[in-house]
Amino acid sequence: KLILTIGKEQNIGLYILDLKTKKLTLLLSKKGVLQAGSISRDGNYLALVWDKGAGSQIYIYNLKTHNLQRISYKGKHNISPRFSPKDNKLLYISLRPSGTYLVFYDLKTQTYQELKFSGFIEDPVFSPDGNYILARAKTSSGTGIYLIHLDSRLSFLYLPGKNLLFPDWTSF
């Protein structure tokens, strides 16, 4: 199955596409803009961005109970939610007047850890082991793909280039 963000007329909703049957089913439709972000390891949750017109916020949608829970409360522009592959954490980016933050939300304890990033960052993705993040960023060191080690919180420009977008990891 594939979860898609699709605009139909003036409504933007989240849909499930069954790849075997090619059936498209509405999953969630709300006023504003919805954008799918990440599916949890167990397949029970969808992290998404919902912009009602006053700024984008991060939500978790329970795919079994259909409960929608807001996660982000700081900042008016929160983007790029991603579930960690190794623990029960959700990562998202919070753009605030005071700077750009990588926010880690613990699903079990419902607590937050924040890492201020010195520059602009977008489209983070966890390494398969969950110890690193790759993301497109722009800092005083340059623009390109940055590698962030989560335990040490160190980051560096891994692949410089202004046209590098949407990094991802592979196991081959």
Side-chain angles (χ1 to χ4, degrees):
K1 293 182 181 182
L2 186 64
I3 296 184
L4 304 168
T5 302
I6 299 177
K8 285 189 174 182
E9 298 169 10
Q10 293 184 347
N11 296 322
I12 296 177
L14 298 178
Y15 293 79
I16 295 178
L17 174 63
D18 188 312
L19 297 173
K20 291 179 184 173
T21 66
K22 309 291 190 236
K23 182 180 176 187
L24 188 65
T25 305
L26 178 64
L27 179 64
L28 185 63
S29 179
K30 300 279 186 187
K31 288 187 180 189
V33 177
L34 294 165
Q35 179 184 2
S38 181
I39 301 285
S40 62
R41 287 182 309 171
D42 61 11
N44 291 328
Y45 300 96
L46 168 66
L48 60 102
V49 179
W50 182 10
D51 187 340
K52 300 178 189 181
S56 53
Q57 299 299 329
I58 304 300
Y59 289 79
I60 294 178
Y61 182 72
N62 187 314
L63 294 166
K64 291 185 177 183
T65 67
H66 306 288
N67 182 42
L68 186 65
Q69 175 187 358
R70 184 172 170 178
I71 300 300
S72 61
Y73 290 93
K74 292 182 181 178
K76 288 191 174 185
H77 193 63
N78 298 285
I79 57 173
S80 303
R82 302 288 181 264
F83 284 102
S84 171
K86 79 172 192 177
D87 50 25
N88 289 318
K89 290 198 173 125
L90 177 71
L91 162 69
Y92 64 90
I93 295 172
S94 184
L95 305 174
R96 306 175 193 162
S98 61
T100 302
Y101 294 83
L102 291 167
V103 181
F104 299 88
Y105 176 73
D106 189 304
L107 299 166
K108 285 186 179 179
T109 64
Q110 298 183 347
T111 57
Y112 298 84
Q113 287 184 333
E114 297 181 348
L115 171 62
K116 188 170 185 180
F117 190 80
S118 60
F120 176 77
I121 188 169
E122 61 185 343
D123 304 316
V125 61
F126 282 98
S127 62
D129 64 7
N131 293 323
Y132 296 89
I133 293 173
L134 282 178
R136 181 180 192 279
K138 181 178 181 181
T139 71
S140 60
S141 298
T143 300
I145 304 300
Y146 279 71
L147 179 66
I148 303 166
H149 182 251
L150 292 176
D151 286 341
S152 68
R153 308 290 187 175
L154 295 175
S155 66
F156 72 95
L157 181 57
Y158 185 64
L159 293 170
K162 293 182 179 179
N163 295 325
L164 299 174
L165 306 168
F166 310 112
D168 206 350
W169 298 84
T170 182
S171 59
F172 62 89

